[in-house]
Amino acid sequence: MSERKDAFPEARIWETPVFVRIGHGMTEPINGPREALYYLSNRWPAERGPKFEIAKLACRLTVEHYGSLNDARQAFLDAAVEVDVLA
């Protein structure tokens, strides 16, 4: 096993989830950058502002073990507020 893999476990999650509600759906917890990246790429509303792009980059970098969990969470939270999907 590589030293890098030992230093960065596969399941990187946030201490506190971010709860979002897309459209008229149910409130859903987003537990980490991998889930956030999925939502940003596949479930996000058509309305996308500059914080959307920042969040996508921050989450991708964190999934790839180059970014900070806290920075990715804050960027995702900012993007959710920007398009009013924060639950």
Side-chain angles (χ1 to χ4, degrees):
M1 204 175 266
S2 76
E3 187 174 325
R4 179 183 166 122
K5 188 164 182 112
D6 291 343
F8 298 101
E10 288 299 313
R12 299 185 76 198
I13 61 171
W14 298 321
E15 286 185 32
T16 305
V18 174
F19 291 89
V20 297
R21 183 172 178 212
I22 308 293
H24 296 288
M26 294 176 49
T27 298
E28 300 177 61
I30 307 303
N31 295 300
R34 189 174 302 278
E35 286 181 21
L37 188 57
Y38 171 80
Y39 268 73
L40 291 162
S41 299
N42 300 300
R43 308 259 332 264
W44 212 246
E47 178 186 347
R48 296 177 178 177
K51 293 181 181 182
F52 167 83
E53 294 298 334
I54 293 167
K56 228 174 146 177
L57 177 61
C59 290
R60 183 177 56 79
L61 289 173
T62 302
V63 166
E64 294 173 355
H65 306 295
Y66 295 107
S68 154
L69 274 174
N70 290 332
D71 290 349
R73 184 181 184 282
Q74 187 59 54
F76 183 74
L77 188 60
D78 292 345
V81 167
E82 182 177 51
V83 295
D84 198 27
V85 297
L86 188 63

